[in-house]
Amino acid sequence: MEALKDASINVIGVHGMGGIGKTTLVKEVARQVKEGKLFDSVVIATVTQTFDVKGIQDQIADLLGLRFEEQSMVGRALRLQERLKKEKKILVVLDDLWARLDLEEVGIPFGNEHEGCKILLTSRDLNVLSSGMDTQKNFAVGLLNEDEAWDLFKKMAGHCVESCDLQATAIEVAKKCAGLPIAIATVARALRNRSLFEWKSALCELKRPSSRDFKGVTAGVYSAIELSYNYLESEEVKLTFLLCSFLGHNGLIEDLLKYIIGLGLFHGVHTIEEARNRVLTVVSNLKASCLLLDSYNSERFDIHDVVWYVATSIANRDLRMFALINGDVLKQWPENEAMRNCSAINLLDPNISELPEEMECSLLSFFHMAHEGTVKIPVNFFRRTERLKVLDLTGMHFPSLPVSIELLTNLHTLCLNQCTLDDITIVGKLKNLEILSLAGSDIKALPQEIAQLTQLRMLDLSHCTRLKIIPPNVLSSLTKLEELYMDNSFVQWEDEVVGKERRNASLEELKHLSHLTTFYAHIPNAQIIPKHVFIEALDRYRILIGDEWEWSRNYEYSRTLKFKLYSSIYMDHGVKILMNKTEDLHLDQLKGIKNVLAELNNGEDFTHLKKLHIQNGRKVQYIATEKIKLSQLQSMTLEGLPQLITFCSQDKRCFTSQQQGNASSEPLPLFNIQLCYPLEACQLSSINAKEYAQPAFQRHAAVPSLERMTISHLRNVKKILHNELLAGSFRKLEEMTVTNCDELLTVFSSTIIGVFSCLKKLTVSDCDSLQQIFEVGGLNIKEIHAVDCQPRELYISEVPKLKHVWNNDPRGILAFQNLRKVVITECPSLKNLFPASIAKDLPQLEFLEVTQCGVEEIVSAGEGLEKAIRFKFPQVSSLRLRYLNELKCFYPGQHTIVWPMLKKLETDYSTLLKIVASERLSIQEMNGNDQPESTIRRPLFLVEEV
C-alpha cells in the first residue's frame, strides 16, 4: 500500500509461484484501495498465456462502462486510452503476465502520458516484471510458514478442526498442502464438516505417491486439488466443474448454461430459468469450494491456472475429454485411438489450418472450437459424430456450413457466436435443436427454414448488428421458445395490417409464444406494441422503446425498460404492464407530461422499481405524489427538467397534464420530505428551480440511505441544503459532486456539516457564482461541541469567484483530520486555502495540489500573528504548487513546517522561492561610521525537516 501511495512509483510488480496467492493479494489490495478512496477507479484484467489483447481491452472497458465502436485494435486502444485519461487517479491491475505486454497496444497510458495512472502487475517470473515491464518496485509472495498455513486452514475448514479427536489428523492434512494457499483452500473446503474417517481417508490419499507433474503443478498440489474434486457432492457438480474448465478464464455463465442444457446434464429441471438457477447455485458452491473464483463481473466466473490444469488433466484421464488450454498448440489433427474415443473435444485457438475429412468420434457429445480466422471444415467432417449434442464454433468464417451438420439429429445446442456467416439454411434440418446462438455474428437475414425448429427453447441473436430480415411467421412458429435475445440487433419490426403483406417479423407474432419468459429487444415505434400480448408472462426483459437508444454494457437488474415518450401512449398498452414490473426504468422525451409517475401508472405504486432515470421533459413539474410508494428505489437521476417544481407533489398540488388549473405560486424546494426509499445514488442535472429563496433540500428533507449524490446544471438555486437539516438525514452519504450550478453561493454551512458524518469525497467544479465551500459563521463556541468532519478527498476546479474554501477559521469547532487529498485548480479569486486551525491539524493529508489560483497565502492569517506556529504534515508525500502568480508566502506570520514524508515536489521557480527557500529580511542599524552594525535575518518560512 505504501508503494501505491508513493508518487514516484508508477509500475509495481508482485511475483511468486502458481497458486501462491498473487491474485488474492492484488484483489485484496484493490478492495482496500476502493474502500479507502486512494484512487478514483480501480480496474482488474486477467492476461494469461494466451495474450489476448482484445480480451484485456474488453475486461477493462466493461469495468469502466465503455463500449467500443471501433473494429481495429489501434482504434480500440486509442479509445480506451482516452477513457482512462478521464480518470484523475486510476489503478490498473494486470494479473498473470507470462511475457512482456505492450501497454500502448492495449491502450493503457502511463508515465508522462497519464501521471495519475498506476499499474500493478502479477507474474510467476520476476524477469517478466523487472526486465519486460520495467517495474520500479517488486514484491515476492512466498509459501506460508507452518503457523500461517494452519491459520488459513482453520479459517477455511472451520473451528471443528481444533476438536481433540480431529486436530492431529487435520494438522497432518494441512502439512501435506505444503504451504501453498490454493492447495490449503481447496482441501480445507472439501473436508469442512466431514467425519473423522473421511479426514483419515483424505490424509491417505494425500500421502499416496503420485507421479503427476502436469504443467508444472507438483504432485502434492495435484493430489490436493484432485481430492477437492473427488469430494464434490455429486456427478452433476463434478461434470459442471469440468465444463467450467473448458471455458477457462472469465467464462460466461450463459455459455455454461447452453452447454449444460444441450448435454442434458441436470435432471429434474423443466425450464431454462430453472436450469439457470441450478447453474448459478453450482457455480456459487464451486466458488465456496475455492475451485472457481469471482471474475470481473457477475456474468462470468474465473478459474486459477493451477486448478485449470488439474481439471483438464482429470477430464482427459477419466472422461475421455480432449482439451487445449493456455499455451497448448495443435497444428495437426491427432489421429489416435484416444482421440477416436473422446466424449468431448475443446480446442481454444488451436492454430490448426486443416481438419480431417471425417472426425471419427462416434462417442463424441461435445465439440467446441474457437478459431479467429478462416479454417476449412470439410463437408463430411461431422458425418461420424451422430451422438453430438453440443456444437460450438466461435469466431470462424463460413461461406456455408458443412452439409454433414444435417446428420446431427441429436444436436441440442448450436453456437455460432462471432462467426462470419452467409448461408445457414441447413440449420433448419436440426429438428431437435433446443438452443441456437448466433450472438455477435454478421448474419444479415434469418432463413425461413428456422421456422422448422419447433423444439427451440432459446434463440440468441444479440449483437447481430447487420441483421435486417426475419421473415414473417418465423418467430411465431417457435412455439416452445422460452428466451429470445435481440439486444443490439434487429429493429425492423413491422406492424400487422389486415390485407398488407409483411416482409419482416412483427411483435404480434410473439403472442403465439406462450412459454416466452425472457425478451431483449429494441422497438423503435411504441405504436406497434400490441394491446394484448406476451408481455404479462415476461420475467426477464431489456426492452428499449423509441429510436436512438444505445445498449449499455452493464445492466444491474433483470427487468429494464427504456422508453421515449415523444408520442402519446395508451393506458391499455403492454407498456403499462411492463412498467409495473420494471426494476430499471429510463424515461426520455416526456412530451406533455407534468407529473411523471402519477400519469404513467395512474398513481399506483412502483413496488419493483430500483433504478429511475428521467430526462428531457420540458413540462415536467413533479416526479411523483406523496401517496406513490417507491419502496425499493435505490438510484435516481433527474436530468433536463427545466420546469420541475418539486419531487413529490402534495395531494392539493397533484395536477396531471390532463387536469385543469394551475399549481400554487408558493415556492417549493425540490425535496421537502423524508424520502422513504432505500435510495443509494441520486443525480440531479439541468433543472431550473422556480425560486431563488429555497434550498434544493429543505429542512425536513431526508435521504438516510443515500451514498452518492451528483448535482449539476441546477439553475436558480443559491443554496443546496437548508441550514438546519434533521440529524441522520444524510448519514450514509459518501460521495458528493456539485458542478455547473451557476447561481450557487455556498455548499455547506457549518451548522449542518456534522449531518454528513460519512462524507468521504467532495467534488466541486464550474460553479460561476460560488464564493465559499464551507460557510463558517454564527458559531457559538460555548454552545457547540467540536465536530470531526469525515471528508478524505476534496477536489475544486474552475470556480472563478471562489474566495474561500472556509470563509472563517472554525477555531477547533470543526476539524478535518481525515483529509488525505486536496486538489484545487483554476480558482483565480481564491485568496487562501486553509484557516490556521485546520492547517495545524491534518495528520492524514498525503497529497496537496494548488494550481492556477489567485492565492496570496496557503494558510490564512489568524489571530496572534506574533506567535510562531509550527505546521506539521506527517503524511504528505506529494506537494504540487504551480502557477500561483499572486502568492506572497505560505503563512504571513512566523512559522516552521515539517514534511517528514515528502517525496515529490512540483513547483515553479518563483513559487519555490516564496514557499521553500528562506527569505532574508535585513535591517541595518547604522553607526556613526555608516557601517552595518548587525544584520537581522527573519525567515518568513523555515523548513525544519523534510
Side-chain angles (χ1 to χ4, degrees):
M1 294 297 288
E2 291 303 318
L4 288 174
K5 294 176 183 178
D6 191 334
S8 65
I9 298 177
N10 294 318
V11 187
I12 302 166
V14 175
H15 64 96
M17 65 183 292
I20 201 69
K22 302 183 297 296
T23 300
T24 302
L25 174 63
V26 295
K27 284 185 175 179
E28 174 60 19
V29 168
R31 186 193 68 78
Q32 290 188 24
V33 161
K34 288 179 183 177
E35 191 176 88
K37 306 294 183 183
L38 190 59
F39 292 86
D40 299 316
S41 297
V42 180
V43 293
I44 303 178
T46 305
V47 180
T48 76
Q49 276 181 284
T50 55
F51 232 65
D52 179 8
V53 172
K54 183 175 179 293
I56 298 169
Q57 292 172 334
D58 285 339
Q59 291 179 61
I60 297 173
D62 187 86
L63 294 170
L64 293 172
L66 173 66
R67 188 180 189 83
F68 290 113
E69 301 295 336
E70 299 80 4
Q71 298 300 317
S72 70
M73 297 299 292
V74 173
R76 288 164 60 93
L78 290 173
R79 181 71 185 281
L80 181 59
Q81 188 177 87
E82 178 185 308
R83 175 62 183 84
L84 287 169
K85 285 183 176 180
K86 291 181 179 178
E87 301 292 332
K88 289 182 180 178
K89 201 170 183 184
I90 185 168
L91 176 64
V92 178
V93 181
L94 299 176
D95 188 27
D96 198 18
L97 268 73
W98 289 73
R100 182 183 180 277
L101 176 66
D102 188 337
L103 297 178
E104 186 175 349
E105 183 183 1
V106 178
I108 300 173
F110 65 101
N112 293 332
E113 287 188 0
H114 187 1
E115 294 181 354
C117 180
K118 288 209 176 190
I119 300 168
L120 178 60
L121 310 170
T122 76
S123 178
R124 300 184 184 191
D125 189 345
L126 175 59
N127 290 328
V128 170
L129 299 175
S130 58
S131 300
M133 301 303 298
D134 296 325
T135 48
Q136 297 159 287
K137 186 85 172 179
N138 291 302
F139 297 89
V141 182
L143 293 170
L144 301 179
N145 63 39
E146 197 169 297
D147 290 338
E148 292 169 337
W150 177 239
D151 287 341
L152 177 60
F153 195 91
K154 287 190 296 183
K155 180 180 178 181
M156 306 305 284
H159 290 291
C160 63
V161 297
E162 296 187 283
S163 63
C164 56
D165 58 338
L166 190 58
Q167 187 176 40
T169 304
I171 290 174
E172 289 301 310
V173 170
K175 287 179 179 179
K176 286 298 177 182
C177 296
L180 192 65
I182 187 68
I184 294 170
T186 52
V187 169
R189 284 293 188 185
L191 294 174
R192 189 182 180 96
N193 298 322
R194 299 280 181 171
S195 301
L196 177 59
F197 68 85
E198 293 175 287
W199 278 85
K200 289 183 175 180
S201 176
L203 180 58
C204 288
E205 287 186 50
L206 292 171
K207 286 181 176 179
R208 190 176 299 129
S210 174
S211 61
R212 297 188 178 277
D213 191 357
F214 182 75
K215 285 278 185 180
V217 179
T218 64
V221 173
Y222 188 102
S223 296
I225 295 172
E226 186 178 31
L227 177 75
S228 301
Y229 168 79
N230 291 335
Y231 273 79
L232 290 175
E233 60 190 78
S234 66
E235 290 302 312
E236 182 181 279
V237 176
K238 290 179 179 178
L239 286 171
T240 300
F241 170 62
L242 297 181
L243 281 176
C244 290
S245 73
F246 274 21
L247 289 165
H249 286 301
N250 302 313
L252 276 167
I253 293 175
E254 284 298 300
D255 286 347
L256 180 63
L257 173 69
K258 292 169 184 176
Y259 294 166
I260 285 174
I261 291 176
L263 292 170
L265 189 58
F266 289 168
H267 301 290
V269 295
H270 306 289
T271 66
I272 292 178
E273 186 61 19
E274 288 179 9
R276 179 179 288 105
N277 291 333
R278 181 83 68 87
V279 168
L280 290 170
T281 301
V282 172
V283 168
S284 177
N285 291 338
L286 288 170
K287 288 180 181 179
S289 300
C290 298
L291 291 172
L292 291 182
L293 305 169
D294 287 329
S295 183
Y296 58 88
N297 65 32
S298 60
E299 297 176 352
R300 298 175 181 269
F301 60 85
D302 204 356
I303 186 169
H304 195 282
D305 279 347
V306 174
V307 177
W308 191 7
Y309 298 152
V310 174
T312 303
S313 174
I314 293 171
N316 289 349
R317 182 192 71 198
D318 296 347
L319 299 172
R320 305 185 312 279
M321 295 183 179
F322 179 81
L324 295 182
I325 58 175
N326 276 352
D328 288 342
V329 175
L330 182 69
K331 294 186 176 180
Q332 187 175 358
W333 190 265
E335 295 284 352
N336 53 47
E337 189 67 24
M339 195 70 170
R340 284 190 286 273
N341 290 326
C342 273
S343 65
I345 295 176
N346 185 48
L347 308 176
L348 295 177
D349 197 18
N351 196 28
I352 192 169
S353 58
E354 188 176 352
L355 298 173
E357 287 298 316
E358 291 185 1
M359 182 168 51
E360 295 184 40
C361 299
S362 59
L363 301 177
L364 194 68
S365 61
F366 177 97
F367 183 84
H368 174 216
M369 183 161 67
H371 188 284
E372 289 191 15
T374 302
V375 59
K376 183 180 179 181
I377 298 182
V379 293
N380 291 318
F381 185 71
F382 294 107
R383 192 171 72 86
R384 301 178 67 175
T385 59
E386 60 275 4
R387 294 191 184 184
L388 197 63
K389 294 180 179 180
V390 175
L391 176 58
D392 185 349
L393 303 172
T394 299
M396 302 178 69
H397 296 186
F398 294 113
S400 61
L401 296 173
V403 294
S404 55
I405 278 185
E406 70 179 19
L407 302 175
L408 303 178
T409 55
N410 290 304
L411 195 68
H412 294 154
T413 294
L414 174 61
C415 299
L416 300 172
N417 298 344
Q418 301 166 39
C419 287
T420 300
L421 301 171
D422 189 4
D423 181 11
I424 63 166
T425 303
I426 197 171
V427 173
K429 295 186 177 183
L430 303 173
K431 299 296 193 297
N432 290 313
L433 202 63
E434 296 183 24
I435 294 177
L436 175 60
S437 181
L438 305 174
S441 72
D442 73 342
I443 188 168
K444 301 175 184 65
L446 210 61
Q448 181 68 49
E449 287 75 8
I450 297 297
Q452 300 171 25
L453 303 178
T454 55
Q455 300 300 310
L456 203 65
R457 301 166 65 193
M458 178 193 292
L459 177 59
D460 190 349
L461 301 172
S462 57
H463 306 291
C464 294
T465 56
R466 303 181 70 181
L467 181 61
K468 307 298 180 187
I469 297 175
I470 299 178
N473 303 318
V474 167
L475 296 179
S476 60
S477 300
L478 308 177
T479 54
K480 291 191 176 181
L481 201 65
E482 298 175 38
E483 302 190 352
L484 177 57
Y485 299 95
M486 304 177 75
D487 41 316
N488 195 30
S489 183
F490 177 83
V491 295
Q492 283 75 22
W493 299 100
E494 292 188 11
D495 200 2
E496 287 213 4
V497 179
V498 178
K500 182 182 177 181
E501 186 176 351
R502 286 186 291 112
R503 182 172 177 262
N504 246 321
S506 78
L507 290 169
E508 283 281 358
E509 293 184 45
L510 303 187
K511 70 183 181 183
H512 299 284
L513 309 182
S514 58
H515 300 285
L516 192 68
T517 59
T518 299
F519 183 46
Y520 293 3
H522 182 186
I523 305 168
N525 183 7
Q527 300 301 317
I528 66 173
I529 299 177
K531 295 182 180 179
H532 306 289
V533 77
F534 58 94
I535 282 174
E536 288 190 51
L538 290 180
D539 291 325
R540 299 168 65 241
Y541 54 84
R542 292 174 189 166
I543 299 176
L544 280 54
I545 302 174
D547 58 7
E548 297 181 0
W549 282 112
E550 287 189 5
W551 287 91
S552 170
R553 291 183 66 92
N554 299 312
Y555 288 90
E556 299 176 68
Y557 305 108
S558 61
R559 296 192 293 273
T560 296
L561 177 65
K562 296 187 176 184
F563 197 7
K564 294 197 175 184
L565 297 166
Y566 41 59
S567 59
S568 58
I569 61 174
Y570 301 97
M571 303 306 291
D572 54 355
H573 271 201
V575 175
K576 296 294 183 182
I577 300 171
L578 285 176
M579 282 191 181
N580 286 333
K581 300 194 295 184
T582 291
E583 296 172 298
D584 181 354
L585 179 61
H586 193 139
L587 301 172
D588 190 12
Q589 304 288 345
L590 292 86
K591 184 178 181 180
I593 292 179
K594 293 184 178 180
N595 197 321
V596 181
L597 300 185
E599 295 183 43
L600 293 181
N601 208 31
N602 294 332
E604 296 180 12
D605 298 339
F606 284 78
T607 54
H608 301 283
L609 191 63
K610 297 177 181 178
K611 184 176 183 179
L612 176 64
H613 188 132
I614 300 174
Q615 65 184 44
N616 300 325
R618 295 184 62 84
K619 294 188 177 181
V620 170
Q621 297 179 353
Y622 310 103
I623 304 303
T625 69
E626 290 182 354
K627 291 185 176 181
I628 293 178
K629 293 181 180 178
L630 304 169
S631 56
Q632 297 195 56
L633 188 64
Q634 298 174 12
S635 174
M636 177 174 65
T637 299
L638 307 178
E639 182 177 359
L641 309 177
Q643 301 299 317
L644 186 66
I645 297 174
T646 188
F647 180 81
C648 272
S649 66
Q650 301 168 357
D651 289 347
K652 64 181 180 180
R653 298 179 181 275
C654 183
F655 298 104
T656 68
S657 54
Q658 285 77 34
Q659 291 174 313
Q660 300 298 319
N662 295 316
S664 168
S665 59
E666 179 187 348
L668 286 172
L670 288 178
F671 298 95
N672 192 33
I673 61 170
Q674 178 167 345
L675 301 182
C676 300
Y677 327 135
L679 196 65
E680 297 175 359
C682 178
Q683 180 172 331
L684 308 176
S685 178
S686 299
I687 295 171
N688 293 352
K690 288 293 183 182
E691 295 289 338
Y692 286 100
Q694 293 291 335
F697 290 84
Q698 193 47 276
R699 177 179 181 178
H700 297 290
V703 201
S705 297
L706 192 65
E707 296 176 1
R708 300 175 304 281
M709 180 165 67
T710 299
I711 298 175
S712 67
H713 298 89
L714 191 62
R715 309 300 182 195
N716 300 338
V717 171
K718 291 187 176 182
K719 184 177 288 189
I720 296 172
L721 304 157
H722 193 275
N723 285 349
E724 298 179 8
L725 292 175
L726 297 175
S729 54
F730 288 85
R731 64 174 178 263
K732 291 187 177 181
L733 188 68
E734 293 186 358
E735 295 184 18
M736 182 174 177
T737 299
V738 181
T739 179
N740 290 286
C741 297
D742 291 343
E743 304 295 332
L744 190 66
L745 297 180
T746 188
V747 180
F748 291 106
S749 70
S750 56
T751 55
I752 64 167
I753 186 63
V755 174
F756 295 83
S757 56
C758 288
L759 187 65
K760 295 178 181 178
K761 182 178 180 180
L762 175 63
T763 302
V764 181
S765 66
D766 299 284
C767 295
D768 289 348
S769 300
L770 189 66
Q771 296 179 10
Q772 63 233 352
I773 306 298
F774 301 101
E775 183 182 32
V776 182
L779 290 172
N780 187 326
I781 297 176
K782 295 181 179 180
E783 297 179 2
I784 299 179
H785 298 288
V787 175
D788 187 10
C789 305
Q790 297 299 318
R792 297 181 182 181
E793 300 178 37
L794 179 61
Y795 300 93
I796 305 171
S797 63
E798 298 184 70
V799 187
K801 294 184 179 180
L802 184 70
K803 294 180 180 179
H804 309 282
V805 179
W806 292 266
N807 69 327
N808 286 306
D809 192 331
R811 293 171 293 163
I813 299 302
L814 295 178
F816 288 77
Q817 295 181 338
N818 293 294
L819 267 179
R820 296 180 182 178
K821 186 173 183 179
V822 176
V823 178
I824 302 181
T825 60
E826 299 184 61
C827 298
S829 301
L830 186 65
K831 298 304 178 186
N832 53 65
L833 176 53
F834 298 115
S837 69
I838 289 176
K840 287 190 296 183
D841 194 15
L842 294 172
Q844 298 190 57
L845 187 66
E846 298 169 359
F847 184 99
L848 174 61
E849 175 181 354
V850 186
T851 299
Q852 289 184 279
C853 293
V855 293
E856 297 178 1
E857 54 204 26
I858 303 301
V859 179
S860 63
E863 296 180 2
L865 276 180
E866 68 282 356
K867 296 180 181 179
I869 296 180
R870 186 174 186 266
F871 298 106
K872 184 173 183 178
F873 301 98
Q875 298 298 324
V876 171
S877 61
S878 181
L879 178 63
R880 182 179 296 170
L881 302 170
R882 301 183 299 179
Y883 309 112
L884 306 180
N885 298 329
E886 305 299 321
L887 187 69
K888 296 177 180 177
C889 59
F890 185 88
Y891 174 71
Q894 286 190 341
H895 62 283
T896 59
I897 302 183
V898 181
W899 313 85
M901 299 295 291
L902 188 62
K903 295 179 180 179
K904 187 173 183 180
L905 173 63
E906 292 183 49
T907 186
D908 53 77
Y909 182 69
S910 174
T911 303
L912 182 65
L913 288 178
K914 298 169 183 175
I915 295 297
V916 177
S918 297
E919 183 174 343
R920 292 184 178 182
L921 175 61
S922 298
I923 303 176
Q924 296 183 343
E925 296 184 8
M926 312 302 285
N927 59 19
N929 299 322
D930 290 336
Q931 294 296 320
E933 180 178 324
S934 64
T935 299
I936 302 173
R937 298 175 179 176
R938 293 182 56 198
L940 292 180
F941 180 88
L942 174 63
V943 179
E944 179 183 278
E945 178 186 345
V946 176

